[in-house]
Amino acid sequence: MRKLHSTVAGQLMLLISGTVLVSQAIILVVFYFKTDEGIQEQQIRMVIEEVATAYEVGRTTSGAEREKLLRATSDPDIQFHVDDVPLTQNRFEIPDDSIAHVPKILSGVPIFATDNAVSSLSIWEFWFAERFENCLIGDEQSSQDGACPIDYVSIQLNEKEWLNARVLSPVDELVILLPVFLSAALTLVGILLIVAIIVKRITAPLRKLSLAAERFGQGEAVGYVEVEGPDELRSTTIAFNTMQERLSRFVEDRTKMLAAVSHDLRTPITSLRLRAEFIEDQELKSEMIQTLKDMGSMVEGSLAFARQEVQEEKSETVDLVETLLALSREFPGVGFSAGLRSHGYLCRPVSLRRAIRNVLENAVNYGSNVHLAVDSEDGGISIEIVDEGPGVPDEMLEDIFDPFFRVDEGRNTETGNVGLGLSIARTIIHKHGGTIRATNVLNGLKMRIWLPGQVSSP
């Protein structure tokens, strides 16, 4: 569940991004291929109309009045002047689809013009360069470093004068589409920002619920999880709160019953032992007292198991390597090795020490040359306890973790073991989200404990 909220957010973001991109792509295709007239042709017609107006002014006026009218006819994209020589002598052929739109005043009049359309590679310069009007005046263009690409248009007014125009070069269709691309990008960014905020508000309660479920699965007391978020998530949170309350009550009731029964058994056991002291047959007396001792050990073990179940220890960060080293020193002759440096590990330290101690005691009691090793493995911590001993029959490797299970009745009686040590250890390790497995190795038994990777620097 830890990755669920990130998966939902990622899928939602991808879905919305894909939808926006596909819709914008369709708009671009329709805009590009379904335009009735080409963009360049429209630009050329507009220029021709403005040139026709300026040509009429140049022919019908002169002097200061003509200059004044030509300045009024000019705009930031086209500037008109009357000069003695033309700016270009390149004959311009009007496209066939634009001939019908040519004003009558220009019919049959030779037009000289350059053709320097802004290519798609010049999108940045065309849209983002500063477009000064003075770059169209005189020879100022050479100092603009291409910031304002222009074409020249020249029409002869009379034998001595030419109408010259400096025109902002017509642009390619793809250049015109740049605002559409920018609009799509800005729309996408805006939508993704809004979606990110909404998804964060939705997944925050989901994150809390997933962490609470993980902690509850490791045996920690989670408490009431606040109900928030969408209706579906609120229902799930309510169900989780109800479930953990019922489970906690169930475990608590069963544990209290076990503790009560174990506690009440102390009195009759003590009474029977006192009565056994009056038996004259020494052999029978010794056997009965030993049996009562075994029953007392089982009762004490049951009480310890019950106390472990109801104990609510707070999690703390401890140096796991140092903790395991200290445990190995409690048993003379136990070797220790570590494949990682000192690390802080979040756990319930008293319970975890008890679990490792139980496994070590089992290895020391039934084997020799015990070795404890710790290393990082599979994104977590691996703890291996290996002993040289008789091992365990393969068919019993899982049974040794069951309460009160004994591989050898006589051997367990001699050590005072009632078969709860490994069961308690497994319960504690499972509550930490880990696993414990027993395997037979050459000349002994190996216990491998794996704990999830809640590793941090101390």
Side-chain angles (χ1 to χ4, degrees):
M1 291 186 66
R2 177 176 294 180
K3 295 182 179 180
L4 180 59
H5 62 275
S6 59
T7 302
V8 173
Q11 291 178 348
L12 186 58
M13 299 282 277
L14 287 175
L15 178 62
I16 294 177
S17 301
T19 302
V20 173
L21 289 176
V22 170
S23 62
Q24 293 295 332
I26 294 175
I27 293 174
L28 289 175
V29 170
V30 172
F31 183 83
Y32 187 78
F33 290 103
K34 298 300 181 179
T35 304
D36 293 334
E37 298 176 330
I39 295 176
Q40 287 192 6
E41 285 73 12
Q42 295 182 30
Q43 292 178 316
I44 292 174
R45 292 173 189 172
M46 293 176 61
V47 171
I48 291 175
E49 291 177 356
E50 293 189 57
V51 169
T53 301
Y55 180 68
E56 177 67 20
V57 171
R59 289 186 56 190
T60 58
T61 59
S62 61
E65 181 183 3
R66 181 169 61 184
E67 291 296 329
K68 180 180 179 181
L69 292 174
L70 288 178
R71 282 196 302 270
T73 306
S74 303
D75 58 49
D77 293 336
I78 185 169
Q79 297 288 332
F80 295 102
H81 295 278
V82 175
D83 302 300
D84 296 336
V85 294
L87 292 177
T88 178
Q89 295 182 352
N90 181 42
R91 184 67 179 263
F92 177 71
E93 299 295 337
I94 299 175
D96 294 339
D97 53 357
S98 298
I99 292 179
H101 300 277
V102 175
K104 293 182 179 181
I105 192 174
L106 292 180
S107 298
V109 177
I111 301 176
F112 301 88
T114 57
D115 187 7
N116 182 33
V118 178
S119 67
S120 301
L121 298 178
S122 304
I123 292 177
W124 182 269
E125 288 82 358
F126 179 81
W127 284 107
F128 298 101
E130 294 182 0
R131 298 169 61 184
F132 300 105
E133 286 189 46
N134 58 4
C135 74
L136 295 173
I137 302 175
D139 296 326
E140 294 292 331
Q141 172 193 295
S142 60
S143 64
Q144 298 301 316
D145 297 327
C148 188
I150 62 174
D151 283 315
Y152 302 123
V153 178
S154 298
I155 301 178
Q156 191 171 14
L157 294 175
N158 49 55
E159 295 181 356
K160 296 182 179 181
E161 294 178 317
W162 287 78
L163 175 66
N164 291 320
R166 289 176 173 81
V167 185
L168 188 68
S169 302
V171 298
D172 185 79
E173 286 87 346
L174 293 179
V175 181
I176 296 296
L177 293 179
L178 179 61
V180 182
F181 284 109
L182 291 177
S183 174
L186 293 176
T187 301
L188 180 62
V189 171
I191 291 176
L192 291 181
L193 286 176
I194 296 174
V195 171
I197 294 174
I198 296 175
V199 168
K200 185 176 180 180
R201 294 189 63 181
I202 293 176
T203 57
L206 183 61
R207 188 182 302 111
K208 292 180 182 178
L209 180 60
S210 65
L211 292 176
E214 184 175 358
R215 289 175 54 201
F216 184 70
Q218 295 179 0
E220 292 189 36
V222 176
Y224 180 80
V225 180
E226 184 179 358
V227 179
E228 54 183 339
D231 292 341
E232 293 79 5
L233 185 56
R234 293 172 68 89
S235 301
T236 304
T237 306
I238 293 173
F240 173 79
N241 287 330
T242 304
M243 177 197 68
Q244 69 159 332
E245 181 182 358
R246 291 175 179 173
L247 284 177
S248 299
R249 189 187 308 119
F250 174 79
V251 172
E252 184 180 358
D253 292 343
R254 290 298 180 92
T255 305
K256 286 181 178 180
M257 182 183 68
L258 175 62
V261 172
S262 300
H263 182 272
D264 291 344
L265 283 175
R266 283 177 168 180
T267 300
I269 290 174
T270 303
S271 177
L272 287 173
R273 184 166 182 176
L274 289 174
R275 294 182 182 183
E277 294 292 341
F278 296 99
I279 297 177
E280 295 181 359
D281 188 335
Q282 294 299 320
E283 183 178 356
L284 177 60
K285 174 182 176 180
S286 177
E287 291 178 355
M288 289 186 67
I289 290 176
Q290 183 59 49
T291 301
L292 290 172
K293 285 183 178 179
D294 291 344
M295 292 177 64
S297 297
M298 294 177 66
V299 169
E300 293 299 326
S302 298
L303 284 173
F305 185 79
R307 285 194 294 268
Q308 176 64 41
E309 285 293 321
V310 299
Q311 183 179 7
E312 292 185 1
E313 181 186 355
K314 292 184 178 180
S315 297
E316 298 178 11
T317 299
V318 298
D319 189 332
L320 185 60
V321 177
E322 183 62 33
T323 299
L324 295 176
L325 177 60
L327 283 172
S328 67
R329 290 172 178 169
E330 295 181 9
F331 303 89
V334 173
F336 177 79
S337 63
L340 69 163
R341 298 180 179 179
S342 298
H343 277 82
Y345 190 80
L346 182 65
C347 64
R348 293 181 288 282
V350 176
S351 299
L352 188 59
R353 280 195 293 268
R354 183 181 182 189
I356 306 299
R357 186 182 290 109
N358 287 354
V359 179
L360 277 173
E361 285 180 350
N362 188 77
V364 171
N365 288 336
Y366 307 129
S368 60
N369 296 325
V370 180
H371 187 81
L372 171 62
V374 58
D375 202 348
S376 59
E377 184 178 336
D378 298 334
I381 301 297
S382 172
I383 303 171
E384 292 186 351
I385 299 173
V386 183
D387 67 79
E388 294 182 7
V392 175
D394 291 340
E395 64 273 11
M396 296 183 178
L397 287 175
E398 291 296 328
D399 298 334
I400 60 176
F401 296 105
D402 294 338
F404 304 110
F405 179 81
R406 297 177 179 180
V407 176
D408 186 334
E409 293 290 339
R411 183 180 67 176
N412 282 275
T413 302
E414 293 172 2
T415 60
N417 194 330
V418 297
L420 280 175
L422 292 181
S423 180
I424 293 174
R426 182 175 65 174
T427 299
I428 295 172
I429 291 168
H430 283 178
K431 283 188 173 183
H432 281 79
T435 59
I436 179 171
R437 293 186 61 187
T439 55
N440 285 309
V441 294
L442 185 62
N443 299 325
L445 182 71
K446 179 175 72 173
M447 290 284 189
R448 181 182 182 274
I449 299 171
W450 182 85
L451 298 170
Q454 301 170 347
V455 181
S456 61
S457 299

